[in-house]
Amino acid sequence: MPPREGTYGLLAEFDTPSDLVRAAQKARLDGWRRLDCYTPYPVEEAAEAIGFHRNKVPLVTLIGGLMGLVAMFSLETWVSTLAYPLNIAGRPTYSWPAFIIPAYEWTILWAGLSAAFGMLALNGLPSPYHPLFNAPNFRAGALDDKFFLCLEALDPKFDLLDTRAYLETLAPVSVVEVEY
Amino acid sequence: MATSELKPGNPDHGRWIDPATGEFRVLEPGQTFKSVTAKISDIVLTPHTPLGWFALFGIGGAVATFLLTAVTWLFLKGTGIWAVTQPVAWGFAIINFVWWIGIGHAGTLISAILLLFKQGWRNSINRFAEAMTIFAVVCAGMFPLIHVGRPWLGYWLLPYPNSMTVWPQFRSPLLWDVFAVSTYATISVVFWYIGMVPDFGTMRDRAKTPIAQYFYGLISLGWRGSVRHWMRYETASLLLAGLATPLVLSVHTVISFDFAVATLPGWHTTIFPPYFVAGAIYSGFAMVLTLAIPLRKFYHLEALVTERHIDNMGKVMLATGLIVAYGYGMEVFMAWYSASHWEYFMMWNRMFGPMGWSYGVLIFCNIAFPLTTLWVRKLRTNIGFMFLISIVVNTGMWFERFVIVVTSLYRDYLPSSWGTYRATKWDFMTYIGTLGLFTALFLLFVRFLPMIPMNEIKMMLPGAKIKPKEAVAGESH
């Protein structure tokens, strides 16, 4: 992330997931697009509320799995027929039923690694620094028992004073400014 | 219904019943997000380590030195120090390998299969069951490696271009094992770690000391709980569960191929894959109970790991135990029905030969005792009894592998080549040493990592319900 200065956004704190979902739905309907919710556990309704419906993790996993499958099956075929053919009890060198098992394991191995590391990459993790960690109340509650809505300064509608007043209408516990 | 009989004399027991379902509650009522975070993370973040932990860790570490000694001697002298010879060329090493891998399977079952089946009660026990899986695989993986004779050349098992221009033989079940077990170990570690990342974020934010903040900050990867991240995380978890499910079934299937692909009476049978998988889950749930029962007592986690969990695990053990019993029955039936002289003799010898006592132990520990008592709910919710059953079943499952390996091998087709098997002290030291290693690793996990997934418990709390009447449609201002 390039170094930035100024305001990252305004962070509203809520006590319950229902308050957060209601606020997020309202903000989305009122035209906010650069916004995010922060919750201590997955809240599907909050993701729906900010318009995040699908992600690319399944695609990454599928591609990884297929690559594992093709890689191991071709390796086995090449090794057994060309590189190092062995006569095992007179069986054909291309004994594909036996090759299925390592190929199956590698499908799972690479699909699983793609799912895990693809998820992290799509999330932009690891990212040890994030401006939100500067907010005084964020680290005290975001992964414990508090629910946050952040309207980001990159949104064209963002204006420090107006947006703060807007967030106050959503009945949060508090609204704080987050700096880079 | 029958749940009301649980504690008839206890006036308190009413609040344990969920009025919506009439079932015993998964969690003790009255938990909040804050209390869950505090309860679980304080076990790790407290500067005060209980004395009992040190005592157990000391015992585990001391026992693990047996392993160190035995393996050092093995590397100096070779596998001749074990009892493996002709005709019993496979001994403790393979028995322990199969036993440990089997124990690991319950962890994957709990974390993957029960997640796909939306069994919410698993959330309390899945983290330490997964840890159990990983440490069991560590113990299991050691046995084939030290059994190859020259373990420093173990990498020859992998297909890689080398100056000898030699490649592995992909038609061998022993090579399939390499891929099955290495995939299983990798995916288990990844699944376990990814599952802990959000909890590490919680620990990072709650840690008081700079070392803990730095350590948990590093391994939390900067998790901040964005719902976009959570949704990808949930997708990845479900996909990993969906991948781990066929994986766990395939791993013990492949291990059973080590036996079933050989043309030896007692091994060459098609029932092996399902019967091995069921046996693995049976012993694995027993091990989860062996660990969970002292753990919930010691760390006062009765509110999160409740009698409902113990009861449910008893039911899973009953179901898988019955599959195992069917497997034993079918083996005996086929020995008679096949009309094969060799099969028939193998089964007769297994039951009544010089090592028949081991078959008796197996039947008592796996069938006679647990499968008669686990039907009774009173016994399934009796903590002491369940602890006893878990030890008995683990013993029984070890004997199952002993019976399969040894009693099939020691009297084969030619009476002139008959022999016997007497494990040496090095065999015993290696086996007992892995128990110590497992204990020590598990205690380190309990001390330094959150043993119950906080975020998954929070999803089950009543406070996590989104109230529909507050939806935006009803808003006027």
Side-chain angles (χ1 to χ4, degrees):
Chain A
M1 195 184 283
R4 290 174 186 271
E5 282 183 12
T7 305
Y8 172 78
L10 281 167
L11 186 68
E13 178 182 325
F14 298 91
D15 270 340
T16 70
S18 307
D19 293 342
L20 172 74
V21 171
R22 185 182 48 179
Q25 281 169 340
K26 179 119 172 42
R28 167 92 183 167
L29 281 183
D30 290 342
W32 289 89
R33 288 299 174 267
R34 298 288 310 219
L35 75 173
D36 207 345
C37 300
Y38 298 88
T39 54
Y41 58 89
V43 180
E44 239 168 80
E45 293 84 350
E48 290 287 322
I50 61 166
F52 187 73
H53 300 293
R54 58 177 65 211
N55 63 63
K56 291 202 174 67
V57 175
L59 180 69
V60 172
T61 308
L62 176 70
I63 293 172
L66 289 176
M67 281 167 67
L69 172 71
V70 172
M72 184 46 88
F73 199 87
S74 348
L75 176 77
E76 289 174 301
T77 307
W78 177 72
V79 164
S80 309
T81 59
L82 296 170
Y84 198 61
L86 290 169
N87 184 344
I88 305 297
R91 290 187 181 80
T93 48
Y94 178 61
S95 27
W96 62 267
F99 300 167
I100 289 176
I101 293 163
Y104 174 90
E105 302 295 343
W106 260 43
T107 311
I108 291 178
L109 176 68
W110 290 102
L113 292 175
S114 308
F117 290 101
M119 180 274 289
L120 291 178
L122 289 168
N123 282 349
L125 298 175
S127 69
Y129 173 76
H130 192 272
L132 278 171
F133 295 140
N134 297 332
N137 54 347
F138 187 75
R139 289 189 56 185
L143 293 172
D144 182 359
D145 63 340
K146 293 288 189 279
F147 299 81
F148 292 91
L149 172 68
C150 184
L151 299 181
E152 293 166 18
L154 289 173
D155 195 292
K157 281 165 67 87
F158 190 86
D159 173 277
L160 203 52
L161 292 176
D162 293 353
T163 307
R164 181 183 282 273
Y166 172 75
L167 277 174
E168 295 288 358
T169 65
L170 300 174
V173 177
S174 71
V175 177
V176 294
E177 184 185 341
V178 182
E179 296 196 338
Y180 275 105
Chain B
M1 17 175 263
T3 39
S4 54
E5 300 161 16
L6 276 172
K7 290 172 186 162
N10 188 352
D12 187 43
H13 86 280
R15 69 197 192 100
W16 279 96
I17 310 296
D18 188 344
T21 58
E23 263 290 345
F24 206 56
R25 283 186 201 272
V26 174
L27 303 175
E28 185 180 349
Q31 307 287 323
T32 64
F33 296 136
K34 224 176 177 61
S35 74
V36 168
T37 312
K39 182 99 201 159
I40 297 166
S41 63
D42 286 356
I43 292 174
V44 176
L45 293 173
T46 170
H48 164 78
T49 308
L51 276 180
W53 187 92
F54 281 111
L56 276 174
F57 187 70
I59 295 170
V63 175
T65 58
F66 288 5
L67 177 69
L68 213 59
T69 317
V71 168
T72 310
W73 192 239
L74 176 81
F75 287 179
L76 290 171
K77 300 294 280 186
T79 43
I81 65 166
W82 290 348
V84 285
T85 178
Q86 295 302 333
V88 185
W90 277 7
F92 264 36
I94 198 84
I95 297 167
N96 297 336
F97 167 66
V98 180
W99 186 71
W100 273 120
I101 282 275
I103 283 174
H105 280 15
T108 320
L109 182 102
I110 290 170
S111 59
I113 300 182
L114 296 186
L115 176 71
L116 295 181
F117 286 146
K118 296 192 187 292
Q119 296 293 305
W121 60 275
R122 77 178 252 296
N123 290 3
S124 301
I125 54 171
N126 74 343
R127 175 74 48 73
F128 64 77
E130 281 170 41
M132 176 195 82
T133 295
I134 288 159
F135 304 142
V137 173
V138 165
C139 293
M142 215 162 359
F143 285 102
L145 279 181
I146 60 178
H147 198 182
V148 295
R150 285 181 287 171
W152 49 93
L153 299 178
Y155 64 90
W156 284 9
L157 293 163
L158 303 172
Y160 73 105
N162 54 64
S163 56
M164 304 173 285
T165 68
V166 170
W167 290 89
Q169 203 276 89
F170 284 101
R171 297 174 202 87
S172 164
L174 298 179
L175 190 68
W176 302 343
D177 258 8
V178 173
F179 290 102
V181 175
S182 62
T183 299
Y184 185 50
T186 313
I187 293 294
S188 300
V189 170
V190 166
F191 200 7
W192 185 56
Y193 176 67
I194 292 292
M196 280 190 292
V197 164
D199 282 358
F200 289 149
T202 311
M203 312 276 277
R204 167 200 67 205
D205 291 349
R206 286 177 65 85
K208 297 285 185 295
T209 64
I211 295 174
Q213 285 171 344
Y214 182 80
F215 174 68
Y216 292 113
L218 204 63
I219 55 179
S220 72
L221 306 175
W223 187 266
R224 54 183 185 272
S226 154
V227 285
R228 287 189 172 85
H229 293 185
W230 275 123
M231 288 306 113
R232 294 193 190 100
Y233 174 88
E234 285 281 275
T235 311
S237 299
L238 275 176
L239 284 168
L240 277 169
L243 292 163
T245 302
L247 176 65
V248 70
L249 300 179
S250 81
V251 170
H252 234 61
T253 300
V254 170
I255 287 170
S256 79
F257 285 166
D258 293 347
F259 301 94
V261 170
T263 54
L264 193 80
W267 287 4
H268 190 62
T269 155
T270 49
I271 193 117
F272 261 25
Y275 145 54
F276 264 56
V277 172
I281 292 165
Y282 190 36
S283 65
F285 267 89
M287 190 58 112
V288 175
L289 280 173
T290 312
L291 296 171
I293 289 171
L295 212 58
R296 71 195 275 275
K297 180 98 190 139
F298 191 69
Y299 284 108
H300 309 292
L301 294 170
E302 285 94 344
L304 300 175
V305 183
T306 58
E307 282 175 26
R308 168 82 178 272
H309 293 99
I310 312 284
D311 183 33
N312 279 3
M313 286 193 267
K315 287 177 188 165
V316 175
M317 281 174 66
L318 181 59
T320 49
L322 287 169
I323 302 175
V324 170
Y326 174 79
Y328 295 163
M330 214 20 99
E331 271 188 320
V332 176
F333 173 74
M334 289 311 290
W336 168 75
Y337 186 69
S338 66
S340 156
H341 178 70
W342 312 109
E343 283 282 343
Y344 184 86
F345 172 75
M346 181 282 302
M347 193 47 77
W348 179 88
N349 182 47
R350 181 177 279 183
M351 289 170 162
F352 307 110
M355 291 215 180
W357 57 271
S358 59
Y359 194 76
V361 173
L362 154 77
I363 293 296
F364 174 78
C365 292
N366 283 350
I367 311 287
F369 182 48
L371 296 189
T372 48
T373 47
L374 279 174
W375 294 95
V376 185
R377 187 193 279 260
K378 269 218 178 73
L379 289 174
R380 280 202 311 270
T381 51
N382 182 328
I383 308 298
F385 179 79
M386 290 303 280
F387 188 70
L388 174 72
I389 269 243
S390 74
I391 304 283
V392 168
V393 168
N394 268 320
T395 315
M397 288 309 294
W398 190 88
F399 271 97
E400 180 197 300
R401 280 65 187 248
F402 180 85
V403 163
I404 289 171
V405 172
V406 174
T407 65
S408 307
L409 281 170
Y410 81 112
R411 287 183 160 186
D412 64 0
Y413 302 99
L414 274 181
S416 63
S417 69
W418 286 4
T420 188
Y421 181 79
R422 272 187 77 87
T424 65
K425 63 176 181 226
W426 302 108
D427 283 313
F428 282 109
M429 275 173 75
T430 316
Y431 172 51
I432 293 168
T434 54
L435 291 172
L437 177 69
F438 178 82
T439 313
L441 288 173
F442 197 81
L443 284 164
L444 286 176
F445 157 72
V446 165
R447 182 66 190 89
F448 292 111
L449 302 175
M451 68 174 125
I452 293 179
M454 292 180 255
N455 65 77
E456 290 180 43
I457 293 284
K458 286 175 191 169
M459 288 165 73
M460 295 159 55
L461 295 179
K465 278 241 159 54
I466 305 289
K467 295 179 186 68
K469 67 177 163 62
E470 290 180 346
V472 71
E475 292 295 309
S476 51
H477 56 268

